[in-house]
Amino acid sequence: MPDAGRFSELGEQGSRAVMEAAAVLERELAAGLADAKAAGTRLTSEHRVDEEEFDRLVRRVSENTHQLIDAVSARVQDSTRGDTADQTRQLTANAHDILDLLLNLSALAPAIANRSLRATFGPEREGAESGDGAEGRQG
């Protein structure tokens, strides 16, 4: 049976590491806020998602989050040994894999969103068709 005290200590170390890393991440996220606001403005005013803009945001989130995972893991591993260190390494690898999976899935979001937005608000202005034939079409 695992030693509950060992996991408690790991939790405390992890909490401190998360707080320190969160402060750094907060600064990084503030730097990306302008890009996020621009994407939000485009979405509400133009009713579309710019794929390049979205990709930049995803890359920023990916880089920052991978760095956060590594920073927390390094802080925890600095003060652990044996099985706890091995478990920390495995959890770190799993966290990276899950993040990559979610971000890869997010690559589908702009196309899905734009298709839905076109169906809801109509085609973009530059290629707009007249009439209301869009309701009967399947894209």
Side-chain angles (χ1 to χ4, degrees):
M1 171 154 264
D3 179 10
R6 185 175 57 179
F7 287 108
S8 174
E9 180 183 316
L10 178 62
E12 291 171 17
Q13 294 163 355
S15 293
R16 283 191 303 273
V18 167
M19 294 302 291
E20 291 170 7
V24 173
L25 182 61
E26 185 177 354
R27 289 191 299 270
E28 287 294 319
L29 291 176
L33 194 56
D35 287 340
K37 284 183 179 180
T41 300
R42 184 177 322 285
L43 180 62
T44 56
S45 67
E46 298 178 20
H47 301 208
R48 72 181 183 89
V49 176
D50 183 283
E51 290 189 39
E52 289 179 16
E53 198 170 54
F54 185 84
D55 288 344
R56 278 195 307 273
L57 287 170
V58 169
R59 276 194 307 276
R60 181 183 292 270
V61 167
S62 175
E63 291 169 5
N64 289 339
T65 309
H66 279 296
Q67 289 174 4
L68 174 65
I69 292 167
D70 287 339
V72 170
S73 176
R75 293 284 300 188
V76 172
Q77 286 183 14
D78 283 348
S79 56
T80 59
R81 302 288 176 258
D83 289 344
T84 304
D86 291 340
Q87 290 170 344
T88 301
R89 280 190 287 279
Q90 185 59 49
L91 288 171
T92 299
N94 291 346
H96 282 296
D97 290 346
I98 290 168
L99 176 62
D100 288 339
L101 172 65
L102 293 174
L103 292 176
N104 287 338
L105 287 173
S106 78
L108 301 172
I112 293 169
N114 285 332
R115 182 175 295 153
S116 177
L117 290 164
R118 280 192 300 274
T120 302
F121 296 104
E124 293 179 28
R125 288 183 178 89
E126 53 191 48
E129 300 172 6
S130 60
D132 55 320
E135 290 177 9
R137 284 188 303 217
Q138 304 248 339

